[in-house]
Amino acid sequence: MRDAEEFDALYAACAGRVVGHVYALTGNRAEAEDAVAEAFMRAWQRWRTVREADSPEAWVRRVASRIAVSSWRKTFNRIRAHRRAAVDQGVPGLNEDHVALLQALQRLSANERRAVVLHHLNDLSVAEVAAEMQAPVGTVKTYLARGRRAMAGLLTDVHQEETSHG
């Protein structure tokens, strides 16, 4: 019974954050929710190992991110074809700023995006990001600096376009 209670506590404490993390990486809430559900299922199957990890939340976040990336790679061509043919549809609950942020994140390299999302959206320290990414702290600082610089330029461009057309 203790296992189920510990697992439930982990889920209650971090599922929302992990969905937010994967959503920021993928830009697709449904995919993020599916990946996180799959990651928690795997965590439950390996609970005795996961609970002993330095950070069970980081374990789930890493697995969910890998699932989402794997899923994205498999369906990329199909999605690209659908985008060409699809009519622009709004997403409920997203405003123009959210869309601009997600679009800017998608233009970063995978490592820059991951570092920015972990540090700025998940509030992890640089050291925690480095541990999760299995990269030196200096490398993470470089990813963060490049990512912030690129996003500042992208988001400034979007803001300038809006003010010049508005």
Side-chain angles (χ1 to χ4, degrees):
M1 194 58 151
R2 183 174 145 236
D3 288 345
E5 290 170 0
E6 287 178 352
F7 181 82
D8 289 348
L10 173 69
Y11 183 87
C14 71
R17 282 193 302 268
V18 177
V19 169
H21 168 79
V22 177
Y23 175 53
L25 291 175
T26 65
N28 184 310
R29 183 153 182 97
E31 283 183 28
E33 290 169 346
D34 289 348
V36 171
E38 174 71 20
F40 272 105
M41 183 191 72
R42 292 181 188 181
W44 177 246
Q45 291 171 339
R46 298 165 180 80
W47 182 242
R48 293 190 191 278
T49 302
V50 173
R51 76 198 266 196
E52 300 300 323
D54 288 340
S55 171
E57 179 177 346
W59 188 97
V60 170
R61 188 171 44 242
R62 228 178 355 263
V63 170
S65 297
R66 288 179 185 149
I67 290 167
V69 168
S70 176
S71 172
W72 180 82
R73 285 180 181 149
K74 290 176 187 174
T75 61
F76 178 74
N77 288 330
R78 185 173 46 213
I79 290 171
R80 189 170 50 178
H82 285 288
R83 282 187 181 157
R84 279 189 229 126
V87 174
D88 190 20
Q89 299 174 357
V91 176
L94 288 181
N95 64 32
E96 290 177 13
D97 291 339
H98 289 114
V99 172
L101 177 64
L102 289 172
Q103 288 174 340
L105 282 168
Q106 294 305 310
R107 300 210 32 209
L108 301 180
S109 75
N111 285 327
E112 291 167 354
R113 180 172 52 248
R114 188 169 179 211
V116 167
V117 168
L118 286 168
H119 184 65
H120 292 289
L121 299 180
N122 289 324
D123 294 324
L124 296 185
S125 69
V126 172
E128 290 169 325
V129 173
E132 184 151 333
M133 292 183 71
Q134 299 176 336
V137 168
T139 301
V140 169
K141 287 180 179 179
T142 300
Y143 292 150
L144 288 169
R146 288 180 184 161
R148 284 190 293 255
R149 188 169 42 251
M151 287 189 64
L154 293 167
L155 294 172
T156 300
D157 291 345
V158 168
H159 178 69
Q160 288 173 345
E161 286 176 18
E162 288 173 358
T163 55
S164 67
H165 296 324

Tab-separated table of all heavy atoms in Angstrom, residues 42-72:
chain	number	residue	atom	x	y	z
A	42	ARG	N	5.010	3.816	-17.057
A	42	ARG	CA	6.323	3.171	-16.975
A	42	ARG	C	6.930	3.338	-15.589
A	42	ARG	O	7.599	2.422	-15.081
A	42	ARG	CB	7.253	3.735	-18.043
A	42	ARG	CG	6.847	3.359	-19.450
A	42	ARG	CD	7.800	3.919	-20.476
A	42	ARG	NE	7.308	3.712	-21.826
A	42	ARG	CZ	7.961	4.086	-22.917
A	42	ARG	NH1	9.138	4.683	-22.815
A	42	ARG	NH2	7.447	3.864	-24.108
A	43	ALA	N	6.716	4.512	-14.999
A	43	ALA	CA	7.237	4.738	-13.641
A	43	ALA	C	6.587	3.765	-12.657
A	43	ALA	O	7.272	3.219	-11.777
A	43	ALA	CB	6.974	6.185	-13.207
A	44	TRP	N	5.295	3.545	-12.790
A	44	TRP	CA	4.607	2.610	-11.895
A	44	TRP	C	5.146	1.199	-12.096
A	44	TRP	O	5.375	0.460	-11.128
A	44	TRP	CB	3.106	2.660	-12.111
A	44	TRP	CG	2.380	1.654	-11.255
A	44	TRP	CD1	1.680	0.574	-11.689
A	44	TRP	CD2	2.318	1.620	-9.827
A	44	TRP	NE1	1.176	-0.125	-10.618
A	44	TRP	CE2	1.557	0.497	-9.456
A	44	TRP	CE3	2.837	2.425	-8.826
A	44	TRP	CZ2	1.306	0.168	-8.132
A	44	TRP	CZ3	2.588	2.094	-7.497
A	44	TRP	CH2	1.817	0.969	-7.170
A	45	GLN	N	5.380	0.813	-13.348
A	45	GLN	CA	5.899	-0.526	-13.634
A	45	GLN	C	7.286	-0.729	-13.036
A	45	GLN	O	7.658	-1.849	-12.708
A	45	GLN	CB	5.956	-0.757	-15.152
A	45	GLN	CG	4.599	-0.872	-15.790
A	45	GLN	CD	4.675	-0.877	-17.313
A	45	GLN	OE1	5.643	-0.419	-17.918
A	45	GLN	NE2	3.621	-1.393	-17.945
A	46	ARG	N	8.044	0.352	-12.907
A	46	ARG	CA	9.405	0.277	-12.371
A	46	ARG	C	9.514	1.023	-11.045
A	46	ARG	O	10.560	1.562	-10.702
A	46	ARG	CB	10.373	0.914	-13.374
A	46	ARG	CG	10.427	0.244	-14.712
A	46	ARG	CD	11.118	1.149	-15.748
A	46	ARG	NE	11.203	0.558	-17.060
A	46	ARG	CZ	10.217	0.513	-17.941
A	46	ARG	NH1	9.048	1.022	-17.660
A	46	ARG	NH2	10.389	-0.030	-19.128
A	47	TRP	N	8.421	1.114	-10.309
A	47	TRP	CA	8.350	1.992	-9.151
A	47	TRP	C	9.468	1.759	-8.142
A	47	TRP	O	10.028	2.694	-7.597
A	47	TRP	CB	6.982	1.902	-8.473
A	47	TRP	CG	6.900	2.844	-7.318
A	47	TRP	CD1	6.708	2.535	-6.015
A	47	TRP	CD2	7.040	4.264	-7.359
A	47	TRP	NE1	6.711	3.669	-5.231
A	47	TRP	CE2	6.919	4.749	-6.049
A	47	TRP	CE3	7.274	5.188	-8.377
A	47	TRP	CZ2	7.015	6.092	-5.726
A	47	TRP	CZ3	7.371	6.531	-8.059
A	47	TRP	CH2	7.235	6.966	-6.747
A	48	ARG	N	9.824	0.521	-7.881
A	48	ARG	CA	10.858	0.258	-6.873
A	48	ARG	C	12.189	0.897	-7.277
A	48	ARG	O	12.947	1.329	-6.411
A	48	ARG	CB	11.021	-1.232	-6.645
A	48	ARG	CG	9.780	-1.844	-5.990
A	48	ARG	CD	10.028	-3.273	-5.550
A	48	ARG	NE	8.805	-3.933	-5.174
A	48	ARG	CZ	8.221	-3.813	-3.989
A	48	ARG	NH1	8.737	-3.038	-3.081
A	48	ARG	NH2	7.101	-4.469	-3.732
A	49	THR	N	12.459	0.977	-8.569
A	49	THR	CA	13.679	1.638	-9.049
A	49	THR	C	13.483	3.152	-9.092
A	49	THR	O	14.346	3.907	-8.643
A	49	THR	CB	14.037	1.130	-10.466
A	49	THR	OG1	14.197	-0.281	-10.408
A	49	THR	CG2	15.292	1.772	-10.985
A	50	VAL	N	12.361	3.593	-9.619
A	50	VAL	CA	12.104	5.028	-9.795
A	50	VAL	C	12.084	5.746	-8.456
A	50	VAL	O	12.635	6.839	-8.324
A	50	VAL	CB	10.778	5.262	-10.570
A	50	VAL	CG1	10.407	6.730	-10.607
A	50	VAL	CG2	10.887	4.700	-11.983
A	51	ARG	N	11.469	5.149	-7.458
A	51	ARG	CA	11.353	5.824	-6.161
A	51	ARG	C	12.705	6.043	-5.515
A	51	ARG	O	12.869	6.928	-4.684
A	51	ARG	CB	10.426	5.064	-5.229
A	51	ARG	CG	11.061	3.825	-4.654
A	51	ARG	CD	10.097	2.874	-4.114
A	51	ARG	NE	9.854	3.014	-2.686
A	51	ARG	CZ	9.274	2.063	-1.996
A	51	ARG	NH1	8.855	0.970	-2.593
A	51	ARG	NH2	9.097	2.210	-0.723
A	52	GLU	N	13.713	5.253	-5.899
A	52	GLU	CA	15.060	5.402	-5.345
A	52	GLU	C	15.908	6.385	-6.149
A	52	GLU	O	17.031	6.696	-5.748
A	52	GLU	CB	15.770	4.038	-5.298
A	52	GLU	CG	15.053	3.004	-4.437
A	52	GLU	CD	14.908	3.425	-2.982
A	52	GLU	OE1	15.832	4.061	-2.438
A	52	GLU	OE2	13.848	3.125	-2.389
A	53	ALA	N	15.400	6.868	-7.276
A	53	ALA	CA	16.148	7.822	-8.097
A	53	ALA	C	16.362	9.114	-7.317
A	53	ALA	O	15.589	9.439	-6.406
A	53	ALA	CB	15.381	8.110	-9.391
A	54	ASP	N	17.406	9.866	-7.686
A	54	ASP	CA	17.657	11.155	-7.024
A	54	ASP	C	16.419	12.036	-7.097
A	54	ASP	O	16.091	12.738	-6.151
A	54	ASP	CB	18.844	11.877	-7.664
A	54	ASP	CG	20.169	11.211	-7.333
A	54	ASP	OD1	20.231	10.451	-6.343
A	54	ASP	OD2	21.140	11.451	-8.067
A	55	SER	N	15.742	12.008	-8.240
A	55	SER	CA	14.517	12.797	-8.413
A	55	SER	C	13.539	11.987	-9.258
A	55	SER	O	13.667	11.949	-10.489
A	55	SER	CB	14.819	14.130	-9.100
A	55	SER	OG	13.609	14.768	-9.444
A	56	PRO	N	12.573	11.345	-8.634
A	56	PRO	CA	11.575	10.615	-9.417
A	56	PRO	C	10.860	11.522	-10.429
A	56	PRO	O	10.549	11.088	-11.530
A	56	PRO	CB	10.607	10.086	-8.353
A	56	PRO	CG	11.456	9.937	-7.131
A	56	PRO	CD	12.395	11.114	-7.187
A	57	GLU	N	10.646	12.787	-10.067
A	57	GLU	CA	10.017	13.715	-11.015
A	57	GLU	C	10.890	13.891	-12.254
A	57	GLU	O	10.391	13.886	-13.382
A	57	GLU	CB	9.761	15.073	-10.366
A	57	GLU	CG	9.128	16.064	-11.329
A	57	GLU	CD	8.795	17.403	-10.701
A	57	GLU	OE1	8.791	17.529	-9.457
A	57	GLU	OE2	8.510	18.342	-11.465
A	58	ALA	N	12.186	14.044	-12.064
A	58	ALA	CA	13.092	14.189	-13.208
A	58	ALA	C	13.068	12.921	-14.066
A	58	ALA	O	13.119	13.008	-15.299
A	58	ALA	CB	14.513	14.485	-12.733
A	59	TRP	N	12.978	11.761	-13.431
A	59	TRP	CA	12.896	10.502	-14.183
A	59	TRP	C	11.658	10.520	-15.070
A	59	TRP	O	11.744	10.219	-16.265
A	59	TRP	CB	12.848	9.322	-13.205
A	59	TRP	CG	12.958	7.982	-13.849
A	59	TRP	CD1	14.090	7.234	-13.989
A	59	TRP	CD2	11.905	7.214	-14.460
A	59	TRP	NE1	13.802	6.054	-14.642
A	59	TRP	CE2	12.470	6.021	-14.950
A	59	TRP	CE3	10.553	7.422	-14.655
A	59	TRP	CZ2	11.737	5.041	-15.608
A	59	TRP	CZ3	9.802	6.455	-15.311
A	59	TRP	CH2	10.392	5.284	-15.774
A	60	VAL	N	10.522	10.877	-14.507
A	60	VAL	CA	9.271	10.909	-15.278
A	60	VAL	C	9.366	11.957	-16.382
A	60	VAL	O	8.967	11.711	-17.525
A	60	VAL	CB	8.055	11.192	-14.354
A	60	VAL	CG1	6.795	11.457	-15.162
A	60	VAL	CG2	7.844	10.033	-13.392
A	61	ARG	N	9.913	13.131	-16.066
A	61	ARG	CA	10.032	14.208	-17.062
A	61	ARG	C	10.919	13.779	-18.230
A	61	ARG	O	10.599	14.007	-19.388
A	61	ARG	CB	10.579	15.465	-16.384
A	61	ARG	CG	10.554	16.684	-17.268
A	61	ARG	CD	10.905	17.981	-16.530
A	61	ARG	NE	12.035	17.856	-15.651
A	61	ARG	CZ	11.986	18.036	-14.328
A	61	ARG	NH1	10.849	18.350	-13.734
A	61	ARG	NH2	13.070	17.921	-13.587
A	62	ARG	N	12.032	13.109	-17.917
A	62	ARG	CA	12.947	12.635	-18.959
A	62	ARG	C	12.271	11.602	-19.851
A	62	ARG	O	12.348	11.680	-21.082
A	62	ARG	CB	14.186	12.025	-18.287
A	62	ARG	CG	15.476	12.473	-18.839
A	62	ARG	CD	16.727	11.921	-18.164
A	62	ARG	NE	16.595	11.105	-16.981
A	62	ARG	CZ	16.723	11.553	-15.733
A	62	ARG	NH1	16.990	12.807	-15.496
A	62	ARG	NH2	16.594	10.728	-14.715
A	63	VAL	N	11.581	10.647	-19.235
A	63	VAL	CA	10.896	9.605	-20.009
A	63	VAL	C	9.787	10.222	-20.859
A	63	VAL	O	9.651	9.905	-22.045
A	63	VAL	CB	10.356	8.495	-19.076
A	63	VAL	CG1	9.448	7.533	-19.827
A	63	VAL	CG2	11.520	7.730	-18.444
A	64	ALA	N	9.007	11.116	-20.281
A	64	ALA	CA	7.920	11.751	-21.036
A	64	ALA	C	8.476	12.551	-22.206
A	64	ALA	O	7.908	12.522	-23.309
A	64	ALA	CB	7.096	12.655	-20.114
A	65	SER	N	9.583	13.237	-21.997
A	65	SER	CA	10.204	14.010	-23.084
A	65	SER	C	10.667	13.087	-24.203
A	65	SER	O	10.452	13.376	-25.381
A	65	SER	CB	11.392	14.816	-22.548
A	65	SER	OG	10.958	15.754	-21.599
A	66	ARG	N	11.282	11.977	-23.833
A	66	ARG	CA	11.741	11.020	-24.856
A	66	ARG	C	10.575	10.416	-25.621
A	66	ARG	O	10.642	10.245	-26.840
A	66	ARG	CB	12.561	9.914	-24.194
A	66	ARG	CG	13.913	10.386	-23.733
A	66	ARG	CD	14.689	9.274	-23.068
A	66	ARG	NE	15.937	9.791	-22.536
A	66	ARG	CZ	16.532	9.314	-21.460
A	66	ARG	NH1	16.012	8.298	-20.807
A	66	ARG	NH2	17.654	9.843	-21.045
A	67	ILE	N	9.495	10.097	-24.919
A	67	ILE	CA	8.305	9.544	-25.579
A	67	ILE	C	7.749	10.560	-26.570
A	67	ILE	O	7.422	10.221	-27.704
A	67	ILE	CB	7.236	9.144	-24.533
A	67	ILE	CG1	7.706	7.927	-23.737
A	67	ILE	CG2	5.893	8.875	-25.213
A	67	ILE	CD1	6.878	7.653	-22.483
A	68	ALA	N	7.646	11.805	-26.132
A	68	ALA	CA	7.094	12.847	-27.002
A	68	ALA	C	7.968	13.059	-28.228
A	68	ALA	O	7.461	13.186	-29.352
A	68	ALA	CB	6.941	14.154	-26.229
A	69	VAL	N	9.276	13.096	-28.041
A	69	VAL	CA	10.189	13.294	-29.173
A	69	VAL	C	10.098	12.113	-30.132
A	69	VAL	O	10.043	12.291	-31.350
A	69	VAL	CB	11.635	13.514	-28.685
A	69	VAL	CG1	12.628	13.420	-29.826
A	69	VAL	CG2	11.747	14.871	-27.994
A	70	SER	N	10.046	10.907	-29.591
A	70	SER	CA	9.936	9.720	-30.430
A	70	SER	C	8.646	9.752	-31.239
A	70	SER	O	8.641	9.495	-32.441
A	70	SER	CB	9.986	8.466	-29.568
A	70	SER	OG	9.784	7.318	-30.355
A	71	SER	N	7.571	10.103	-30.577
A	71	SER	CA	6.277	10.201	-31.255
A	71	SER	C	6.324	11.275	-32.330
A	71	SER	O	5.823	11.095	-33.435
A	71	SER	CB	5.185	10.516	-30.228
A	71	SER	OG	3.978	10.788	-30.876
A	72	TRP	N	6.947	12.394	-31.998
A	72	TRP	CA	7.037	13.502	-32.953
A	72	TRP	C	7.825	13.073	-34.193
A	72	TRP	O	7.416	13.346	-35.311
A	72	TRP	CB	7.701	14.698	-32.281
A	72	TRP	CG	7.828	15.862	-33.202
A	72	TRP	CD1	6.873	16.777	-33.501
A	72	TRP	CD2	8.977	16.228	-33.961
A	72	TRP	NE1	7.356	17.687	-34.400
A	72	TRP	CE2	8.649	17.373	-34.700
A	72	TRP	CE3	10.256	15.701	-34.098
A	72	TRP	CZ2	9.549	18.000	-35.555
A	72	TRP	CZ3	11.145	16.328	-34.945
A	72	TRP	CH2	10.790	17.458	-35.664
